[in-house]
Amino acid sequence: MKKLYLILIFVCSCYALDLESFEQEYQQQPINDPLEKYNRFMNKVNWKFYDYIFSPVLKGYNWIIPLGFRMGIENFFENLNSPLRFLGHMLVLQPQDALNELGRFSLNSTVGMLGFFDVASANKLYSKDTDFGIVFGKWGIGEGFPLVLPILGQSNLRDTLALPLNSFATPITYVKPTSYAMGLYVIDKIVYAAQHKDILDSIRKDSLDNYIVMRQSYQAYREKLIKE
C-alpha cells in the first residue's frame, strides 16, 4: 500500500531480467507520459532522499533487528491492511477472496498474536493484494498518466486519486493522537522497504535509467493485479 514516507518498488519480473535489456525494451515503446520532465525531476529528488536518509535508516534497521523479528513486524503491519483488502474484494464482487481475507484477519489477530505470526497461510488462507486503485482499474477506469509523488514515489493519476480512500479503510488512520498514527505509517513503510532494500539498491546502481525501470515495473505490477 502507498502511504506517507514510502518509496514504492514493484519489481514484477524485471528484477529477474537484465536491467539494461529491460530499459531498452521499454524505451522503444510509446507511453503517454505528459509530465515526464516533472516525473524525472521528482524521481531524482526521491533517490537523493533515499541515498542520504532512507537507505541508512533501512540499513540500520536490517542490521539491528534480527530476521525473525523483522518478519513478525512485517506480518503485523500486513495484517492491519486486511480490512482494506477485504473491502476491495467485496467492491469487485470477489466474495471468496473477501472471505479468505476476513478469515486471515480473524485468525492472525487472535491465534497469531495481533498478526505477528502468519498462522492463516499455514491454514491455506492466502491474501491477494488490492486497494482502491486496483478496484477502480477493475471497474474500467484507466490509469491516466504516470505520476511520481514526493517521497511516495512512482504512481499514476488513478492510484493517486485513490490514496484518500485507501487511508479511510486502513485502521492505522484512526489511531489517536495523529502523531502516533503518522509514526506507525513511517514504521510500516520502513519495514516494507527494508525487505526490498537489495532490489532498490540494484535498481539504483545497475540501471541506466532508473526512471524507466520504476515506471514500467510499477505499471506492469498494477496491470497484473487488475487482471487477477
Side-chain angles (χ1 to χ4, degrees):
M1 304 305 153
K2 295 175 292 180
K3 296 294 190 303
L4 193 59
Y5 299 107
L6 170 63
I7 296 180
L8 291 174
I9 175 60
F10 296 96
V11 180
C12 314
S13 60
C14 72
Y15 185 58
L17 299 174
D18 175 72
L19 284 174
E20 183 176 352
S21 299
F22 180 85
E23 293 167 272
Q24 291 175 350
E25 174 186 355
Y26 281 101
Q27 283 172 338
Q28 297 171 0
Q29 298 182 6
I31 185 171
N32 179 32
D33 192 356
L35 300 180
E36 183 170 353
K37 289 185 178 180
Y38 159 80
N39 286 335
R40 285 185 175 277
F41 168 76
M42 189 53 62
N43 183 66
K44 291 180 180 180
V45 171
N46 286 343
W47 278 118
K48 291 298 181 182
F49 174 85
Y50 178 81
D51 291 341
Y52 294 108
I53 300 177
F54 212 41
S55 181
V57 171
L58 300 181
K59 183 178 180 180
Y61 174 83
N62 286 336
W63 183 74
I64 294 172
I65 308 298
L67 177 60
F69 285 97
R70 296 202 305 268
M71 293 177 62
I73 296 171
E74 181 184 352
N75 290 339
F76 170 78
F77 283 106
E78 187 69 15
N79 189 57
L80 288 180
N81 287 319
S82 282
L84 172 59
R85 293 191 292 268
F86 171 79
L87 183 58
H89 293 314
M90 290 295 292
L91 289 173
V92 296
L93 304 180
Q94 294 176 326
Q96 186 58 57
D97 291 330
L99 287 174
N100 286 346
E101 199 62 57
L102 180 61
R104 283 182 57 84
F105 184 69
S106 301
L107 192 59
N108 285 343
S109 297
T110 54
V111 181
M113 299 179 65
L114 300 180
F116 283 97
F117 299 96
D118 183 11
V119 296
S121 293
N123 287 274
K124 298 183 179 180
L125 290 173
Y126 303 111
S127 181
K128 288 177 60 177
D129 197 14
T130 191
D131 54 39
F132 275 95
I134 300 303
V135 169
F136 291 162
K138 288 180 180 290
W139 286 352
I141 299 175
E143 65 181 19
F145 48 80
L147 185 61
V148 179
L149 303 175
I151 307 301
L152 296 176
Q154 191 67 48
S155 185
N156 57 46
L157 180 60
R158 179 193 61 215
D159 293 348
T160 299
L161 295 177
L163 286 175
L165 294 176
N166 291 340
S167 295
F168 291 146
T170 304
I172 292 178
T173 302
Y174 302 98
V175 172
K176 299 299 180 182
T178 303
S179 58
Y180 287 6
M182 295 295 293
L184 287 172
Y185 277 129
V186 172
I187 295 173
D188 181 11
K189 302 319 166 186
I190 288 175
V191 169
Y192 178 82
Q195 180 190 9
H196 300 93
K197 188 177 187 305
D198 289 344
I199 298 172
L200 286 166
D201 290 343
S202 177
I203 292 176
R204 181 64 167 142
K205 177 182 177 181
D206 299 332
S207 59
L208 297 177
D209 188 343
N210 54 56
Y211 172 66
I212 294 294
V213 174
M214 298 291 283
R215 184 185 69 185
Q216 301 305 142
S217 59
Y218 179 85
Q219 181 186 48
Y221 181 82
R222 300 297 283 181
E223 287 179 353
K224 175 178 178 295
L225 291 178
I226 290 171
K227 293 177 180 178
E228 289 182 347

